Amino acid sequence: MNSTSSPTSTSTASVAESERTWWKESVFYEIYPRSFYDSNDNGVGDLPGIVRKLDYLDDLGVDVVWLTPVYDSPQADFGYDIRDYRDILDEYGTMDDWERLRDGLHERDMRLVMDLVVNHTSDEHEWFEKSRREVDPYTDYYIWREGDPEAGSGDPYDPDALPNNWDSLFGGPAWTYDERRGEYYLHLFDGKQPDLNWRNPAVREDVYGIMRWWLDRDIDGFRMDVINFISKADGLPDGDPSAVVTGSEHFINGPHACEYLREMDERVLSEYDVVTVGEMPGISVEDAREYVGRDGPLDMAFHFEHMRLDEGPDDPWNFRDWSLDDFRETFTRWQTGLAGEGWNALYLNNHDQPRMVSRFGDEAYRVESATMLATFLHTLRGSPFVYQGEEIGMTNVPFESAGKFVDVETLRYVERMLERDDVENFEDIGDAVRYGSRDNARTPMQWSDAPNAGFTDREPWLTVNPNYTEVNVESARADPDSVWHYYRRLIDLRHDAPVLVYGDYEPLLPDHPEIYAYRRTLEDVGALVVLNFFDGEPRFDLPGSVAYDGAELLISNYEVERPEGPDGFDLRPYEARVYRLE
Ligand code: ISL
């Protein structure tokens, strides 16, 4: 069904040497270790499991693996709550296993990016245990405030008693009262994830020490968790109560965030040839220019604007349809806004988001829409990030009941909603939870049609998607028309076509209701990308500005009959085509 022709390689000589770097030319692959592969049959994925799948990654052709947290952690937020930054969680293996993974990747010319989670630690981290006992130098390692537990009803959780009105991103107040210290500590996420006090130079010094410890173990970079949240506004003022997350204007891109990252760059990063990707909810293109522009401290940023397109303006769980106009406008703004300035980190899903096929594609056209979206991801200016399972077109999960969810954000939301008078039972919010829960992304990787999708021989820690009998790596690899083979071809294509990496981006047909088309241009080479985002059969009318004569089809997710009309062609549902233009 799919066709690809071999791209005539263009030289990269036309790209200024100063512009070229390995990470711009790389395809990244995100691994969520808990769900990747279980080597010791305890139901939980682990590092030796990843080691066994290294040839799989090599065959797929990806260049860099981003490993989400594998450090010692009580797993309140599945690793984003770190107890010891210099140790591996027992369930996942040992430092020796980690070294085998790193070496195995390097032997295959792949690189390893680790997750740096330093906005907060676990409340079981030694620093916090000492901080709550006011043991120096840790007393001011976290953000402690007195508040007024005697206020109002005398309940320390009376809103009047709290130090301010900020919300946690997982819902409920961002403050927890610590009986022992008699003060509140700030946590922008769960109560088990206290925020570090970045104003304290000793905290920053310790973070840099952790970074050096890993960098000296020969890693190739960091993905930095909510790194634009590290600086909180002076005096921690009350936030606007009408905001989706109250207080967020005082901690997203806070006053010193960029300054701390510059210091981190000077003190640590500048000494290593590594890539840095900041996860930055709530940044605009203008903010991104500061973080990842020409003089910015980091290399790339994950922004969230396209993740918000189907979320309600007041309540993110109040999902609505996204529109192609907003989608195209958002991507175009980021493509043009960072042109010549910075580099995009491109993604359509990750371990926190619904599966892209179920969100921006169509499960009824699973293969077509997965390959169309993949074509989009790999032909924009920036580095594509593939999330495990995306390459076989994994979908959202029909979770049977409330009891099947395990993610803290989801559980908190369900708890909160069930307290409301207008919500009688889980099914009243079931659709939203099934659509939006982070657990959709975290179900075990589907390796085969064996029990538990070949992920484990035991009961897995999280439900397996029942579609594993059809959607799995083994059957995808056996089928030349599968999503998996399309990803391989697309990754090869991007490696061979500098125009897809470095070329300028120019949207075509900016108002088309169904088609998203654009041109990439690098010197005298062009690429035309035509994507049908829906299940209709619209005609693509070639814009006059595009010289289509002699265009060569580089890849498409349907068989394309040649020759076609000189002024356009009809598209099939979710059809994607990429042409090389002379
Ligand atoms: O936007 C979200 C869901 O729609 C959030 O989950 C958002 O991605 C998140 O708040 C920031 O994510 C990162 O930090 C969290 C952790 O739970 C996530 O897994 C991580 O990716 C706290 O460390």
Side-chain angles (χ1 to χ4, degrees), residues 285-545:
V285 177
E286 292 68 39
D287 301 325
R289 286 207 199 102
E290 283 200 34
Y291 290 111
V292 304
R294 290 210 164 272
D295 305 315
L298 303 184
D299 296 324
M300 287 187 262
F302 288 121
H303 74 81
F304 281 70
E305 288 194 10
H306 56 310
M307 295 290 119
R308 304 282 173 248
L309 297 177
D310 57 359
E311 294 180 355
D314 304 321
D315 172 6
W317 290 88
N318 190 8
F319 294 104
R320 52 187 180 167
D321 289 341
W322 56 276
S323 80
L324 183 59
D325 276 345
D326 291 345
F327 187 92
R328 178 171 40 216
E329 185 278 323
T330 302
F331 276 94
T332 297
R333 197 153 33 74
W334 280 86
Q335 288 287 297
T336 52
L338 290 188
E341 287 282 335
W343 201 249
N344 278 286
L346 307 164
Y347 73 101
L348 291 170
N349 49 201
N350 62 29
H351 68 284
D352 292 331
Q353 300 294 334
R355 288 284 180 181
M356 85 184 181
V357 175
S358 310
R359 191 180 200 178
F360 299 115
D362 185 341
E363 290 181 17
Y365 289 92
R366 192 183 63 81
V367 172
E368 294 82 353
S369 64
T371 48
M372 183 280 288
L373 290 168
T375 312
F376 175 62
L377 193 75
H378 291 258
T379 56
L380 288 174
R381 185 169 177 280
S383 298
F385 282 72
V386 176
Y387 177 62
Q388 69 184 41
E390 178 186 321
E391 75 277 23
I392 53 168
M394 279 176 65
T395 63
N396 271 3
V397 183
F399 289 100
E400 279 160 31
S401 61
K404 296 287 181 190
F405 294 92
V406 298
D407 161 44
V408 50
E409 182 189 53
T410 311
L411 298 180
R412 289 285 134 77
Y413 173 71
V414 173
E415 258 165 45
R416 253 188 351 269
M417 293 306 283
L418 290 177
E419 281 167 13
R420 283 171 44 157
D421 294 340
D422 55 343
V423 177
E424 233 171 73
N425 58 41
F426 174 74
E427 283 312 323
D428 289 349
I429 50 167
D431 287 349
V433 175
R434 284 193 186 91
Y435 178 81
S437 172
R438 308 198 297 184
D439 283 330
N440 280 302
R442 301 177 180 182
T443 60
M445 178 74 181
Q446 293 163 206
W447 293 105
S448 72
D449 63 4
N452 303 316
F455 162 74
T456 182
D457 275 349
R458 274 269 217 90
E459 178 76 12
W461 71 281
L462 178 62
T463 317
V464 171
N465 191 326
N467 70 9
Y468 75 90
T469 49
E470 184 204 337
V471 182
N472 63 66
V473 170
E474 201 175 87
S475 64
R477 292 191 67 163
D479 171 8
D481 290 337
S482 67
V483 179
W484 194 82
H485 282 285
Y486 192 83
Y487 266 79
R488 280 194 60 192
R489 287 199 285 267
L490 208 43
I491 293 169
D492 282 352
L493 176 65
R494 199 171 173 286
H495 285 152
D496 289 345
V499 62
L500 295 181
V501 178
Y502 293 106
D504 290 338
Y505 162 96
E506 173 201 353
L508 305 167
L509 314 180
D511 303 313
H512 200 287
E514 291 160 276
I515 300 174
Y516 187 170
Y518 45 94
R519 174 165 48 186
R520 305 287 310 278
T521 311
L522 185 66
E523 307 263 296
D524 53 355
V525 179
L528 169 67
V529 182
V530 182
L531 308 166
N532 178 8
F533 260 75
F534 298 97
D535 61 0
E537 303 196 344
R539 179 166 177 81
F540 171 71
D541 288 315
L542 198 72
S545 61

Side-chain angles (χ1 to χ4, degrees), residues 12 46 102 130 187 357 379 447 502:
T12 34
D46 46 49
R102 175 203 58 197
K130 291 195 166 148
H187 54 87
V357 175
T379 56
W447 293 105
Y502 293 106

Side-chain angles (χ1 to χ4, degrees), residues 77 80 120 170 189 223 225-226 279 351-353 438:
D77 189 16
Y80 284 93
H120 45 267
F170 292 160
F189 293 89
R223 173 267 189 190
D225 194 60
V226 290
E279 187 213 25
H351 68 284
D352 292 331
Q353 300 294 334
R438 308 198 297 184

